[in-house]
């Protein structure tokens, strides 16, 4: 097997998991603009919670170096993987892809041979536009399907490897990823860039639809005083539906589903649709319903047990509970947050109480998107729609 020089730009969930994946076989340099992250990686400490990454950094003989030096990172690389953020810009109704463009404009003068692989999630049609804007054929898109918290695991055991180019180069990239997996059995697909971009957005929108569906089922049950557990179990035993990813929640959230559904809807401009729009609306409707249910309890102080989206998560980007907090604010309800990963006194303008017993005492109603053993003693105060105690 050939050993390559690989540069990974961005050391978040996508970048760091790709960097560790390839550093088992190739020479990898990780580039980030965030110096503390770079220093941590060089000290073999993971800047994010992911047990596989933490273990690999500590135990494996990785050829991995992190840096903030662009020249050093780019100039000798055979492959440069871009894994920088693409936040949704609600003013333009499109992803903000400026971090990708700034990276490309820095690479091209320093390295005109490397294959640049975009792993960030991008709008449908983006790769063709950016190739023509920068007048380069160096760029290929390959979607990333990992889950946060299981980022390296999902790259070691991927559900599929998709590369957005039907060419020998595309096949080589698919093989590069396949060779880095544990079992070498994942299906690989090469297709045109625009189709590969669509695969990513349609996959995440399907997941959002599934969450929204089980949440609407649960809303129906709550309204009619029916057992959501019985109905979800009965429905899910149909093997075409399946007993997975069916646990009701306050709404879908996290970094990817909210923004990726909105981007797909933006790509539907001039294309007839009802469903894509409805998925996004359904998530809003669900949060409004949850708020009404909470208000019925006439609380003075609503306690928020964790701002995270799911158990084991270390970040709360766009978590559903934040939507609930903002809705509750409209009704002048006092909010108290328990979030032990925060060392501050407040989150936004809301006070934090990280002494668990104190928190449980002070709140009249405690909202938990997912149940936790911490809440057992005060179960009668807890409001959750979690049926299965899993994500
Ligand atoms: N998080 C996920 O589960 C997931 C899954 C699949 C795809 N994606 C997509 O991958 C992309 C990255 O997501 P993430 O969760 O890894 O992001 P992240 O926010 O965790 O990490 C991004 C990193 O990029 C760095 N960065 C920003 N601008 C940079 C620049 N100009 N040069 C170098 N580094 C820079 C940041 O400092 C940060 O460390 C997004 O497009 C996202 O939609 C994310």
């Amino acid at each position: 097997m050939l050993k390559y020089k690989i540069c990974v730009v961005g050391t978040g969930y996508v970048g760091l998991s790709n960097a560790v994946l390839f550093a088992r076989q190739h020479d990898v340099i990780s580039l980030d603009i965030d110096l503390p992250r770079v220093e941590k990686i060089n000290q073999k400490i993971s800047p994010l919670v992911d047990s596989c990454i933490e273990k690999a950094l500590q135990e494996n003989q990785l050829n991995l170096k992190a840096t903030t030096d662009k020249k050093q990172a780019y100039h000798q690389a055979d492959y440069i993987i871009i894994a920088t953020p693409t936040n949704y810009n609600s003013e333009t109704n499109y992803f903000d892809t400026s971090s990708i463009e700034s990276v490309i404009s820095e690479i091209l003068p320093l390295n005109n041979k490397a294959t640049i692989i975009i792993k960030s999630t991008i709008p449908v049609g983006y790769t063709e536009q950016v190739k023509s804007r920068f007048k380069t054929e160096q760029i290929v898109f390959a979607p990333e399907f990992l889950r946060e918290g299981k980022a390296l695991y999902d790259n070691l055991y991927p559900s599929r490897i998709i590369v957005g180019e039907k060419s020998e180069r595309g096949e080589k990239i698919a093989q590069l990823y396949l060779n880095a997996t544990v079992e070498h059995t994942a299906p690989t697909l090469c297709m045109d860039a625009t189709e590969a971009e669509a695969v990513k957005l349609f996959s995440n929108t399907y997941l959002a639809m599934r969450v929204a569906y089980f949440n609407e089922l649960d809303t129906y049950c709550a309204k009619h005083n029916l057992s959501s557990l019985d109905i979800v179990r009965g429905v899910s035993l149909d093997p075409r539906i399946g007993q997975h990813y069916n646990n009701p929640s306050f709404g879908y959230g996290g970094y990817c589903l909210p923004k990726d559904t909105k981007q797909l809807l933006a790509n539907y401009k001039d294309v007839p649709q009802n469903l894509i729009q409805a998925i996004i609306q359904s998530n809003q409707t669900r949060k409004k319903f949850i708020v009404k249910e909470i208000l019925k309890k006439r609380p003075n102080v609503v306690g928020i047990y964790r701002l995270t989206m799911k158990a084991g998560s270390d970040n709360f980007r766009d978590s559903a509970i934040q939507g609930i907090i903002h809705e509750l604010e409209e009704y002048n309800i006092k909010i108290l947050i328990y979030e032990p990963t925060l060392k501050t006194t407040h989150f936004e303008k809301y006070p934090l109480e990280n002494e668990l017993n104190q928190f449980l005492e002070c709140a009249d109603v405690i909202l938990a998107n997912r149940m936790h053993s911490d809440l057992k003693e005060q179960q009668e105060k807890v409001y959750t729609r979690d049926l299965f105690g899993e994500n």
Side-chain angles (χ1 to χ4, degrees):
M1 195 186 62
L2 281 171
K3 198 169 178 178
Y4 292 109
K5 290 193 184 310
I6 298 176
C7 166
V8 183
V9 191
T11 60
Y13 294 87
V14 175
L16 188 56
S17 61
N18 272 250
V20 172
L21 177 81
F22 287 126
R24 295 155 69 245
Q25 298 169 334
H26 304 278
D27 287 333
V28 177
I29 294 193
S30 269
L31 175 75
D32 206 298
I33 46 175
D34 183 339
L35 182 61
R37 288 182 92 92
V38 165
E39 287 174 342
K40 272 194 164 172
I41 296 166
N42 285 334
Q43 291 158 12
K44 299 183 185 296
I45 299 167
S46 174
L48 43 92
V49 173
D50 186 298
S51 58
C52 276
I53 292 180
E54 287 156 28
K55 202 160 162 240
L57 284 173
Q58 286 292 321
E59 292 175 4
N60 290 13
Q61 294 296 317
L62 301 176
N63 293 314
L64 173 64
K65 210 171 113 189
T67 184
T68 54
D69 181 342
K70 290 166 189 165
K71 213 169 183 179
Q72 184 196 10
Y74 295 144
H75 110 111
Q76 282 192 324
D78 302 303
Y79 289 100
I80 301 174
I81 298 170
I82 303 182
T84 57
T86 49
N87 297 340
Y88 188 78
N89 180 333
S90 48
E91 273 163 31
T92 59
N93 277 334
Y94 238 67
F95 282 165
D96 173 1
T97 51
S98 57
S99 73
I100 301 178
E101 283 129 51
S102 84
V103 170
I104 294 172
S105 65
E106 286 159 4
I107 296 172
L108 294 179
L110 293 170
N111 188 332
N112 61 7
K113 296 215 167 55
T115 300
I116 300 170
I117 305 172
I118 299 180
K119 271 266 148 184
S120 303
T121 304
I122 50 181
V124 181
Y126 179 78
T127 308
E128 287 307 322
Q129 283 164 22
V130 91
K131 276 164 77 175
S132 107
R133 178 175 151 195
F134 285 97
K135 298 186 180 52
T136 177
E137 282 301 317
Q138 282 176 255
I139 301 168
V140 180
F141 172 66
E144 176 62 65
F145 299 104
L146 62 80
R147 294 163 294 171
E148 287 183 8
K150 296 201 163 62
L152 179 57
Y153 180 90
D154 286 346
N155 268 302
L156 290 169
Y157 300 91
S159 54
R160 72 281 213 201
I161 292 165
I162 293 184
V163 178
E165 192 171 272
K166 287 181 188 163
S167 66
E168 202 178 310
R169 176 169 75 170
E171 299 286 349
K172 264 178 84 176
I173 295 171
Q175 201 57 47
L176 181 73
Y177 273 93
L178 191 63
N179 282 340
T181 65
V182 173
E183 293 169 339
H184 306 282
T185 52
T188 60
L189 278 178
C190 288
M191 60 186 73
D192 289 339
T194 310
E195 279 79 351
E197 291 157 354
V199 167
K200 176 63 197 170
L201 295 184
F202 276 105
S203 298
N204 269 358
T205 303
Y206 183 87
L207 295 175
M209 177 179 73
R210 193 167 162 109
V211 175
Y213 184 83
F214 283 100
N215 282 345
E216 283 204 7
L217 182 162
D218 180 67
T219 297
Y220 184 86
C221 294
K223 197 85 188 137
H224 289 280
N225 207 13
L226 300 173
S227 164
S228 196
L229 182 63
D230 284 347
I231 298 177
V232 172
R233 273 191 183 143
V235 166
S236 299
L237 278 167
D238 184 327
R240 291 169 299 180
I241 297 172
Q243 300 174 70
H244 58 278
Y245 215 59
N246 59 0
N247 194 13
S249 64
F250 294 160
Y252 64 76
Y255 182 41
C256 293
L257 299 195
K259 77 179 179 74
D260 292 1
T261 45
K262 287 180 193 157
Q263 177 57 55
L264 185 60
L265 181 62
N267 279 116
Y268 261 87
K269 188 172 178 287
D270 303 327
V271 180
Q273 60 78 31
N274 296 107
L275 194 50
I276 310 295
Q277 174 82 61
I279 294 166
I280 297 165
Q281 280 170 349
S282 169
N283 210 40
Q284 291 308 322
T285 304
R286 173 68 170 174
K287 288 181 206 163
K288 285 191 190 305
F289 173 75
I290 297 287
V291 166
K292 279 203 173 139
E293 292 286 284
I294 298 161
L295 291 175
K296 277 190 204 160
K297 297 178 185 292
R298 302 189 173 280
N300 287 318
V301 180
V302 170
I304 307 296
Y305 179 78
R306 308 298 312 264
L307 293 165
T308 47
M309 197 52 225
K310 40 187 179 179
S313 171
D314 65 330
N315 74 74
F316 22 90
R317 297 189 277 193
D318 225 344
S319 61
I321 194 74
Q322 289 182 66
I324 305 280
I325 294 173
H326 296 138
E327 288 277 335
L328 280 171
E329 196 191 335
E330 311 265 303
Y331 298 90
N332 292 324
I333 304 281
K334 276 194 199 138
I335 303 282
L336 185 65
I337 299 174
Y338 175 79
E339 181 44 72
T341 62
L342 287 178
K343 304 294 172 222
T344 46
T345 56
H346 285 72
F347 170 75
E348 295 178 357
K349 58 184 174 196
Y350 311 105
L352 283 159
E353 175 52 75
N354 283 341
E355 209 287 294
L356 183 63
N357 287 331
Q358 190 71 14
F359 166 78
L360 297 174
E361 264 327 297
C362 290
D364 310 314
V365 174
I366 297 165
L367 307 189
N369 190 47
R370 291 292 174 247
M371 244 339 243
H372 193 279
S373 55
D374 279 354
L375 304 171
K376 281 227 166 83
E377 302 286 302
Q378 298 277 1
Q379 207 143 3
E380 69 290 348
K381 284 189 185 178
V382 175
Y383 178 82
T384 184
R385 300 307 299 169
D386 179 8
L387 295 179
F388 300 115
E390 58 174 35
N391 291 315

